[in-house]
Amino acid sequence: HRRFDYRPKTDPYCQARYTFCPTGSAIPVMKEEDVIEVYRLQAPVWEFKYGDLLGHLKIMHDAVGFKSSLTGKNYTMEWYELFQLGNCTFPHLRPGMDAPFWCNQGAACFYEGIDDAHWKANGTLVLVTTISGTMFNEMAQWVKYDNETGIYYETWTVQASPDKKSTVWFDSYECSKFILRTYQKLADLGAVFKKIQTNYTSIILFSGEPIYLGNETSIFGPEGNKTLAAAIRDFYNPFKPHQSVREFFVDLFKIIDRVILNHQFYLFYNLEYWFLPMKSPYLKIIYEEVPLPVGSKASFGV
């Protein structure tokens, strides 16, 4: 996933259904000698059934919690879409504009408190490691960097086959990836993680080798490829970016339908368009184990 120099200003056209990070606050500076507990937080986004096609899906949202021993305060940190999931996955086809218009950014949100009931009710709230105040402050610096340079949300993982060792053409960049990066950063700073099973959701598309098509200017600009531009617009036509999570999944199944019938998918990734020659099983939503990281430094007492 490409890093960018800065986060672009958001276009006023992009309106969120829910305010991003409404109670967000700056990450506090912890006292160096503080001992901070780190919690893994996970809860279902929405559980649903869709005939026998995909059975019962575990679409989970991930976050990380912190508790300071010195102050007793709790904090939650998560990463999600600025304009909700539909906008990160589907563009707007605006009248008078040739190119599809994307309202796609993701960012970290940090706020005081952990909503225990939400995470415990049908999810996870479990202690994974303990860190010092110094490590927490170093992590906070890293979060700032990560946030300023990793700006686009990416819903899809694209790989060659369901095989575990299969080539990954494109990696997703969403809430769980941020949590995994945060854990890795803490491990690199010396955190020692408990040996517990940790699972994450991935939405995976299966494709032969992707074909590079170009960027917005080269496809939709004055010198662009009119046929290709029309095909991309046509592909995105059935989808509505402004929508609830439930409507998003209805659109997801429209995509599956098109992809399976036509064996094609147009992917917009890091501001570039790619054609994916789709192949069976086309799309899978998996919930699989990703182990907690092992650090590269000497450990801090747990």
Side-chain angles (χ1 to χ4, degrees):
H1 196 274
R2 183 172 143 203
R3 293 270 161 193
F4 291 85
D5 296 337
Y6 62 95
R7 182 179 286 279
K9 276 199 163 52
T10 59
D11 191 290
Y13 179 83
C14 299
Q15 295 296 320
R17 185 179 277 248
Y18 313 102
T19 308
F20 174 78
C21 204
T23 57
S25 57
I27 304 182
V29 176
M30 299 292 192
K31 290 214 160 89
E32 290 180 10
E33 67 277 15
D34 201 347
V35 175
I36 294 152
E37 293 178 335
V38 181
Y39 291 89
R40 173 171 190 257
L41 310 176
Q42 187 178 65
V45 172
W46 178 50
E47 293 193 9
F48 67 102
K49 253 185 147 51
Y50 188 84
D52 289 331
L53 178 62
L54 292 176
H56 195 70
L57 303 177
K58 274 187 122 86
I59 309 282
M60 308 299 266
H61 177 68
D62 298 272
V64 60
F66 301 98
K67 183 176 184 187
S68 156
S69 306
L70 286 180
T71 65
K73 284 183 174 176
N74 292 323
Y75 302 93
T76 301
M77 183 167 76
E78 54 189 326
W79 196 94
Y80 60 100
E81 326 87 40
L82 263 63
F83 314 107
Q84 280 77 65
L85 186 59
N87 274 311
C88 295
T89 313
F90 309 116
H92 295 258
L93 299 177
R94 293 173 66 178
M97 282 178 78
D98 249 6
F101 184 83
W102 293 85
C103 290
N104 175 9
Q105 284 191 35
C109 171
F110 187 95
Y111 52 95
E112 193 170 329
I114 294 177
D115 181 354
D116 288 40
H118 170 71
W119 301 106
K120 275 182 185 158
N122 37 11
T124 306
L125 196 165
V126 61
L127 179 70
V128 287
T129 187
T130 308
I131 61 173
S132 66
T134 307
M135 286 154 79
F136 179 91
N137 296 336
E138 288 182 7
M139 177 208 73
Q141 287 302 312
W142 168 82
V143 168
K144 185 170 181 290
Y145 156 79
D146 186 77
N147 223 21
E148 285 169 358
T149 60
I151 50 184
Y152 295 110
Y153 188 100
E154 181 52 56
T155 305
W156 317 104
T157 295
V158 184
Q159 56 188 60
S161 79
D163 179 33
K164 278 241 189 292
K165 294 195 170 70
S166 141
T167 304
V168 176
W169 305 117
F170 298 97
D171 219 342
S172 62
Y173 199 82
E174 29 68 13
C175 66
S176 67
K177 291 291 198 290
F178 172 75
I179 301 307
L180 292 167
R181 289 198 301 281
T182 302
Y183 288 161
Q184 187 59 57
K185 182 65 187 174
L186 291 175
D188 292 344
L189 291 169
V192 178
F193 285 86
K194 293 180 180 298
K195 303 246 182 303
I196 52 171
Q197 184 165 346
T198 52
N199 289 49
Y200 299 91
T201 302
S202 292
I203 304 182
I204 303 177
L205 299 174
F206 299 101
S207 154
E209 185 161 352
I211 298 156
Y212 176 69
L213 300 174
N215 61 21
E216 188 175 297
T217 313
S218 71
I219 299 170
F220 298 94
E223 308 290 303
N225 178 333
K226 296 279 184 283
T227 318
L228 178 58
I232 293 173
R233 269 200 309 275
D234 181 57
F235 175 77
Y236 284 119
N237 201 34
F239 313 115
K240 299 183 301 296
H242 282 310
Q243 55 189 353
S244 67
V245 172
R246 182 176 288 268
E247 288 166 327
F248 168 77
F249 282 101
V250 171
D251 272 0
L252 187 65
F253 293 113
K254 281 187 202 164
I255 271 205
I256 294 168
D257 220 36
R258 292 201 132 198
V259 156
I260 291 173
L261 284 172
N262 304 325
H263 294 247
Q264 58 185 36
F265 189 100
Y266 289 97
L267 179 75
F268 187 60
Y269 192 90
N270 281 342
L271 305 181
E272 295 173 325
Y273 285 93
W274 296 79
F275 175 77
L276 305 181
M278 299 296 289
K279 56 188 202 190
S280 177
Y282 305 104
L283 180 145
K284 258 190 167 170
I285 298 180
I286 57 166
Y287 184 67
E288 68 173 5
E289 182 173 14
V290 181
L292 286 161
V294 175
S296 54
K297 273 192 178 180
S299 66
F300 166 80
V302 172

